[in-house]
Amino acid sequence: MNDWQQRFDTRIMRSIGMPLAKLERGEGVWVWDDSGKPYLDFLAGIAVNALGHAHPVFVEAVSRQAATLAHVSNYFTTEPTLELAERITRLSGAGDEGRVWFGNSGAEANEAAFKLARLNNSGGARTRVLALVDAFHGRTMGSLALTGKAHMRDPFLPLPGGVEHIPATLDALEAEIDDAVAALIVEPMQGEAGVVELPAGFLEAARELTHRHGALLIVDEIQTGAGRTGAWFGFQHAGIAPDAITFAKGVGGGFPIGGLVTYGHASSLYTKGQHGSTFGGNPLATAVANAVLGEIESAGLVENAAARGEQLRERILDLDSPLIAGVRGRGLLIGIGLTGHVAGPLVAAAMDAGLIVNAANDATIRVAPPLTIGDAEIDEFVERFSIALDSVAATS
Ligand SMILES: Cc1ncc(COP(=O)(O)O)c(C=O)c1O
């Protein structure tokens, strides 16, 4: 172990594995480690750094708001908070009845969504909350209860009750949604499960059935939001209106923020004093999110994510590597399916070649670059990823 690895190993909680590198600075789609080695960052902090690193708009917003008013508590409001709530209800199509609750992370956003589901109880008659097998909704007790991965849940049982995980099939929706369901929560694409898309017509059927039975349809847009999939939010590809969405990650572009947006009657479920967060919606976080979303909008980065995603998918398939089984995903959330369990070695080989990608699971490489990428970055990616593929293919 080198010096920083030793320090990490000694002082950081063992819940986090040994990092791949110690990074020192970033600019655009590039980051540099402590030896000065550059890496093309095609993970963007797991779909977070929407504008890349040290973007002037991000830097200006952090600096300006930090020098103006950083934090005030929920006893006060500020212009950036109000502006962000208006912006997010507009972009998510929540419209005139839309409301926003602000927190600081994805897990917290889903906690707020879980509590919203409990409020939709019809006088105690609705005891069931449905989530999907393999879903990832976060690591706090409530969001972990919604998460459908046994290895994450089991050490922490018992979790908040009433949650059932159903397969992502139209048949399961039809069989499981009844009048005892308070809410169904789904990711439009399961990023942590390996960039797994929902079956065709799933969200449409989920909307129809939850509507018929008075259950809330909650869409977890934490990984898929802020333009990542080539729409502002992933559910918009299906042309439906949910009852609530949760957001985090890319909305702050690297500044911690998360939250819950409600639509229609779901906006009247929470009443005064039922939820809160000291930091949630503070002017620093909301000013940065306004700047990030404003830049995504004015620079056409949602459209760029759609177009560059197509381009990237084609270039990956053109590599014609024996290790690549196929490509999944939409926009700039891409899962590269592998023919063997070689995602770990491939990530390591990519690091050697100066490229950051992620092993979403043993047989999937996840690619989620900043939404700002253009031809030059795609060429760099292809060059570096082929070197990594060749080196792993030569040894496997
Ligand atoms: C779909 C989804 N929901 C929730 C979360 C949890 O977000 P956070 O890590 O900010 O708590 C994540 C994080 O990867 C996610 O991808």
Side-chain angles (χ1 to χ4, degrees), residues 217-230:
L217 175 62
I218 301 172
V219 185
D220 178 337
E221 293 280 1
I222 286 155
Q223 190 154 155
T224 46
R228 169 76 31 206
T229 69

Side-chain angles (χ1 to χ4, degrees), residues 105-107 110 136-138 187 192 220 222-223 249:
S105 67
N110 285 334
F136 183 74
H137 296 293
E187 298 157 88
E192 296 305 299
D220 178 337
I222 286 155
Q223 190 154 155
K249 287 192 184 273

Side-chain angles (χ1 to χ4, degrees), residues 135-363:
F136 183 74
H137 296 293
R139 304 282 204 142
T140 56
M141 293 301 265
S143 61
L144 192 56
L146 300 172
T147 291
K149 292 169 181 288
H151 73 279
M152 290 182 183
R153 301 161 51 85
D154 288 354
F156 302 102
L157 298 175
L159 294 165
V163 182
E164 298 164 46
H165 292 94
I166 65 169
T169 63
L170 298 178
D171 285 349
L173 287 178
E174 192 71 58
E176 295 294 345
I177 299 179
D178 60 21
D179 292 347
V181 174
L184 165 69
I185 181 162
V186 295
E187 298 157 88
M189 217 187 318
Q190 293 186 326
E192 296 305 299
V195 192
V196 178
E197 295 165 64
L198 291 171
F202 186 91
L203 278 179
E204 294 86 333
R207 175 65 293 182
E208 203 276 312
L209 286 160
T210 48
H211 198 260
R212 195 191 311 160
H213 290 282
L216 300 177
L217 175 62
I218 301 172
V219 185
D220 178 337
E221 293 280 1
I222 286 155
Q223 190 154 155
T224 46
R228 169 76 31 206
T229 69
W232 274 105
F233 294 96
F235 77 85
Q236 289 165 334
H237 293 295
I240 56 136
D243 297 298
I245 64 169
T246 51
F247 66 85
K249 287 192 184 273
V251 168
F255 204 96
I257 187 166
L260 170 73
V261 182
T262 52
Y263 296 59
H265 82 281
S267 290
S268 55
L269 287 170
Y270 269 118
T271 56
K272 190 175 163 185
Q274 286 187 324
H275 203 43
S277 154
T278 295
F279 295 128
N282 86 17
L284 184 50
T286 51
V288 178
N290 275 315
V292 169
L293 297 180
E295 177 65 14
I296 292 175
E297 199 164 14
S298 63
L301 297 182
V302 180
E303 297 75 14
N304 194 56
R308 298 302 181 180
E310 280 305 311
Q311 201 179 337
L312 204 47
R313 240 179 301 277
E314 274 168 33
R315 295 286 298 274
I316 293 166
L317 289 171
D318 281 352
L319 286 172
D320 213 17
S321 162
L323 292 183
I324 297 180
V327 181
R328 302 187 292 273
R330 196 158 188 167
L332 290 175
L333 184 55
I334 295 177
I336 306 171
L338 304 172
T339 48
H341 291 185
V342 292
L346 204 44
V347 166
M351 287 296 286
D352 286 345
L355 170 68
I356 298 178
V357 292
N358 160 254
N361 59 40
D362 283 356

Side-chain angles (χ1 to χ4, degrees), residues 11 19 119 123 133 144 226 326:
R11 285 288 164 256
L119 292 174
V133 170
L144 192 56

